């Protein structure tokens, strides 16, 4: 089995759960700016350290395995620009409070089946709403349980 699909699965799973994100393995040199080696040059201990959080998450959540694998496949198919946007979105998500997350889920689910024009219109309306109007909108358009 090639290492890339395993690494992609590990990265996608870690990225989909910011709390699980691990720090990169230590560089071989003292220079902190030195680039990290390619997968093939990592030691087995470094590879294990990268994959350990995924292994635990995979084993602890058998009902989520298909979703985790699907995320890994999608991550592999993304362009570098799409990956950058995904990282920005994950960073924003990490800093949202629970109410903001619920609103984001509701908006995402509502926009999912809309045309670009309809999404743009809803986005324009959303930005014009007061916080109370947004809460009411989410009550009328609740996100599905996650």
């Amino acid at each position: 089995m090639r290492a890339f699909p395993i690494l992609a699965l590990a990265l996608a799973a870690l990225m989909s759960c910011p709390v699980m994100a691990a720090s990169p393995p230590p560089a071989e040199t003292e220079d902190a700016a030195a680039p990290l080696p390619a997968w093939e040059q990592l030691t087995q201990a470094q590879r294990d350290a990268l994959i350990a959080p995924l292994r635990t998450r995979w084993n602890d959540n058998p009902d989520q395995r298909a979703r985790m694998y699907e995320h890994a496949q999608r991550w592999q198919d993304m362009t570098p620009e799409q990956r950058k946007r995904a990282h920005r979105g994950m960073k924003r998500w990490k800093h949202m409070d629970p109410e903001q997350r619920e609103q984001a889920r509701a908006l995402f689910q509502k926009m999912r089946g809309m045309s670009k024009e309809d999404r743009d219109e809803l986005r324009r309306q959303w930005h014009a709403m007061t916080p109370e109007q947004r809460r009411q909108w989410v009550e009328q358009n609740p996100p599905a349980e996650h």
Side-chain angles (χ1 to χ4, degrees):
M1 180 184 261
R2 292 178 43 196
F4 185 73
I6 294 170
L7 180 59
L9 178 61
L11 290 173
L14 290 173
M15 291 300 143
S16 70
C17 183
V19 175
M20 296 292 293
S23 57
E28 296 285 328
T29 66
E30 294 296 320
D31 182 7
L36 294 172
W39 182 262
E40 293 76 18
Q41 282 77 46
L42 292 174
T43 66
Q44 188 61 46
Q46 289 171 320
R47 291 178 189 184
D48 290 345
L50 285 167
I51 293 175
L54 171 64
R55 181 181 296 120
T56 300
R57 188 165 175 226
W58 183 271
N59 287 336
D60 290 349
N61 299 289
D63 57 323
Q64 293 295 312
R65 290 177 186 166
R67 183 172 177 257
M68 291 168 64
Y69 190 75
E70 179 185 320
H71 283 185
Q73 291 297 106
R74 280 199 330 236
W75 186 261
Q76 275 185 292
D77 294 339
M78 287 181 179
T79 65
E81 179 56 35
Q82 289 171 322
R83 289 179 183 183
K84 283 181 187 175
R85 284 197 327 258
H87 277 289
R88 284 193 304 266
M90 287 182 283
K91 191 174 185 177
R92 277 195 323 265
W93 182 264
K94 183 178 178 181
H95 292 93
M96 286 182 185
D97 63 41
E99 182 178 9
Q100 290 171 319
R101 288 182 181 187
E102 182 180 23
Q103 290 175 354
R105 280 187 198 99
L107 277 170
F108 178 79
Q109 288 177 10
K110 184 72 170 183
M111 289 182 176
R112 200 173 210 167
M114 292 180 160
S115 68
K116 181 182 180 344
E117 295 79 21
D118 290 342
R119 285 193 308 269
D120 290 344
E121 177 60 21
L122 178 54
R123 193 175 292 115
R124 185 194 63 70
Q125 290 172 0
W126 181 263
H127 289 294
M129 289 181 195
T130 66
E132 181 55 35
Q133 289 171 324
R134 289 179 181 177
R135 276 190 284 280
Q136 289 173 358
W137 187 92
V138 171
E139 286 176 13
Q140 295 168 357
N141 300 275
E145 291 300 317
H146 51 280

